[in-house]
Amino acid sequence: MAIRNIREIGDAVLTKKCKEVKEVSERTLELIDDMFETMYEANGVGLAAPQVGILKRIVVIDTTGEDPIVLINPVILETSGEQTGQEGCLSVPGKYGIVTRPNYVKVAAYNEEMEPIEVEGTELLARALCHEIAHLEGQLYVELVEGGLKDVEPYEDEEYED
Ligand code: NI
C-alpha cells in the first residue's frame, strides 16, 4: 500500500470523464488499497480515482471509519428527498461550501470481484455517493455551491500558540 498524491483543483485530470473498468487486475486492487490509504490519511470520507490521477470509474467511500465501500463503474439508480449542508473535497483543500443533494441515493456498481452490488445511503453517505460519482464525470462540487466557497477556519490548538 502507498499514499498517492492527491490532485488539486486546476489539474486537468479532475475535469475528464473516466473510463469503465473492464476487469479488476492486480494493479486495480493495488490502486483501490492505495485509494483507501490516501483517503484515510487525509481524513476524507470518499475518494475517486481521478483524484489520484487515474481516469477509471472507481470510487472508495467510508463515512464512519468502519464501513469501507468500493464502487466500480457506479451508476445512480434512484434518488429522493433533499439535504442542504456543508461539503468539501480533498482536491479543494481548505475550502467548503453549501450544496444541496438528494437525501437518499441508490447506486448499482461492481465490487472488487466484479460482482454486481447495490448500495443505498441517506444523509452523509448519500452526499458522498453523489459527490464521488460526479468526480468520474469530471465534475467538482464547487460548481454546485450556493453562496460561494468558504475558507475552513485554521485549526486552533493551544499547543501551537506562543
Ligand atoms: Ni471530492
Side-chain angles (χ1 to χ4, degrees), residues 51 89 131 135:
Q51 293 183 273
C89 178
H131 178 116
H135 270 299

Side-chain angles (χ1 to χ4, degrees), residues 74-99:
V75 176
I76 293 176
L77 294 179
E78 208 179 308
T79 66
S80 69
E82 205 176 88
Q83 57 173 319
T84 298
Q86 291 185 6
E87 196 163 317
C89 178
L90 295 177
S91 293
V92 190
K95 304 280 183 188
Y96 73 95
I98 302 298
V99 181

Side-chain angles (χ1 to χ4, degrees), residues 35 51 81 83 90 133 141-142 154:
M35 285 172 64
Q51 293 183 273
Q83 57 173 319
L90 295 177
I133 291 170
Y141 85 101
V142 297

